[in-house]
Amino acid sequence: MDRIVIALGGNALDTGKSSIMEQIGKASETFIRLSNVINSNEAVITYGNGPQIGEIYHKTSYPLDISGSMSQGLLLHILSMAYNPLQLSGKLKKSAVPILTHTFIDKDKYTLKPIGPFYDHKIDDSYAMEISKGYRKMVKSPEPTGIMEIDSITYLMSNGYLPLAVGGGGVPVEKLDTGYAGFEGVVDKDLSSSLLANQLAAKKLIIITDVNNIYLDFKNKIDPINRIGYSELLSYYNKINFEEGTIKPKILASLKFIEKGGEKVYITSIDNIDNMETGTVIEKG
């Protein structure tokens, strides 16, 4: 039995056009495909919220930290509605525990990350083209430094539960002398998942995305990466201009996980989860 963190992409549930019932259906299919991994290991599920937080932010104009917390509530409900019937049927053996999660950040270290739906035109200067799919709003994405609820997550996982945590990377918060304050931005889910995995001393990190492998030329889907060592991937990372906010954080998250003691990272699609050794596999060395 290994200790594993499984990071689901936000678009795995919703492309920005899916109904709630469709999202529950997609989540159910995802959990069925992950059932062997969940049942046979100590696991935590993290999940993206790019489409959902963008929708909430645009409709309500709430600050991004508040929009992020609302998106976590929405997605935790969707994930629970998908998971619990599968547990009742016996396909999943553990009880899932939804956890609204906060992530400590370094506000002075940030990149830009896309959120929300795709548009066929530029709404304003805060929008940028994302891999020829359309324009999305770009917001600050600060570097995560810690998970506020780490003790609860550790306890639950160690005692046979499946925590559903670190949604959308966690609500970004700053530590103040008098407490905490939300930050106007979003934390990258893969970087937070990598950090969580290291804090949990997990052996493996599984990053679920929409392709079976990542590519050296991701835009044109050229030169897929299969099995690769840390040093070789680091060399590529330093030489190739991977796209910010999409593939680059996945590679950086993988490197950080291995660098800080993790053993193996898998990056692949949910459809390939039973054959993830044929996806992108990153190892020590």
Side-chain angles (χ1 to χ4, degrees):
M1 178 181 289
D2 290 328
R3 182 167 283 192
I4 300 175
V5 171
I6 306 165
L8 303 178
N11 290 314
L13 302 180
D14 183 19
T15 61
K17 300 178 181 178
S18 305
S19 69
I20 296 298
M21 291 307 299
E22 287 172 334
Q23 291 179 62
I24 292 172
K26 289 180 181 179
S28 180
E29 292 172 6
T30 297
F31 283 131
I32 289 171
R33 290 184 178 275
L34 289 171
S35 59
N36 287 337
V37 178
I38 292 171
N39 291 336
S40 303
N41 299 280
E42 289 186 333
V44 178
I45 298 283
T46 68
Y47 55 95
N49 70 342
Q52 297 83 3
I53 187 175
E55 189 76 11
I56 293 169
Y57 180 72
H58 283 293
K59 287 184 175 179
T60 67
S61 297
Y62 287 144
L64 279 169
D65 59 316
I66 301 301
S67 297
S69 66
M70 292 176 70
S71 73
Q72 282 195 46
L74 167 65
L75 285 162
L76 287 170
H77 169 67
I78 288 170
L79 292 171
S80 296
M81 292 296 286
Y83 188 94
N84 292 337
L86 295 172
Q87 184 191 9
L88 288 173
S89 72
K91 292 179 181 178
L92 293 166
K93 307 301 183 185
K94 302 176 181 179
S95 294
V97 182
I99 303 175
L100 193 149
T101 315
H102 303 81
T103 299
F104 300 122
I105 53 105
D106 183 339
K107 68 176 182 178
D108 297 320
K109 295 181 180 179
Y110 66 88
T111 59
L112 295 177
K113 182 174 176 62
I115 64 167
F118 292 97
Y119 292 90
D120 60 6
H121 63 285
K122 200 171 184 178
I123 306 297
D124 57 42
D125 288 341
S126 68
Y127 284 73
M129 175 65 71
E130 184 184 338
I131 315 183
S132 302
K133 292 181 180 179
Y135 292 92
R136 294 179 82 189
K137 185 173 182 63
M138 306 296 289
V139 300
K140 285 184 178 181
S141 182
E143 181 178 312
T145 60
I147 307 299
M148 184 184 288
E149 291 79 11
I150 186 64
D151 289 344
S152 299
I153 294 169
T154 303
Y155 176 84
L156 289 165
M157 184 181 61
S158 299
N159 285 277
Y161 296 93
L162 177 73
L164 308 174
V166 194
V171 178
V173 293
E174 301 175 67
K175 291 182 181 179
L176 306 176
D177 291 339
T178 56
Y180 307 101
F183 177 82
E184 182 72 5
V186 298
V187 185
D188 183 82
K189 173 264 303 175
D190 295 312
L191 291 177
S192 288
S193 299
S194 173
L195 175 63
L196 173 67
N198 285 133
Q199 288 189 304
L200 292 170
K203 289 186 176 181
K204 297 176 182 177
L205 171 63
I206 302 174
I207 298 176
I208 303 296
T209 185
D210 55 0
V211 291
N212 288 353
N213 299 78
I214 58 173
Y215 299 81
L216 294 180
D217 182 350
F218 195 80
K219 181 177 180 180
N220 297 303
K221 302 295 188 291
I222 298 173
D223 294 329
I225 301 174
N226 298 111
R227 191 170 296 272
I228 191 170
Y230 167 89
S231 298
E232 186 179 1
L233 184 61
L234 179 62
S235 177
Y236 284 135
Y237 181 83
N238 290 329
K239 289 189 295 186
I240 296 174
N241 187 27
F242 293 106
E243 187 171 46
E244 292 281 2
T246 54
I247 192 61
K248 188 172 184 177
K250 288 176 171 51
I251 296 175
L252 180 58
S254 302
L255 291 169
K256 284 181 176 289
F257 177 64
I258 298 294
E259 183 181 297
K260 296 179 181 178
E263 293 185 2
K264 189 179 289 189
V265 180
Y266 297 92
I267 305 178
T268 195
S269 69
I270 191 63
D271 292 334
N272 196 50
I273 196 67
D274 290 333
N275 301 295
M276 58 185 175
E277 292 288 346
T278 68
T280 296
V281 184
I282 304 150
E283 301 175 296
K284 294 180 178 180

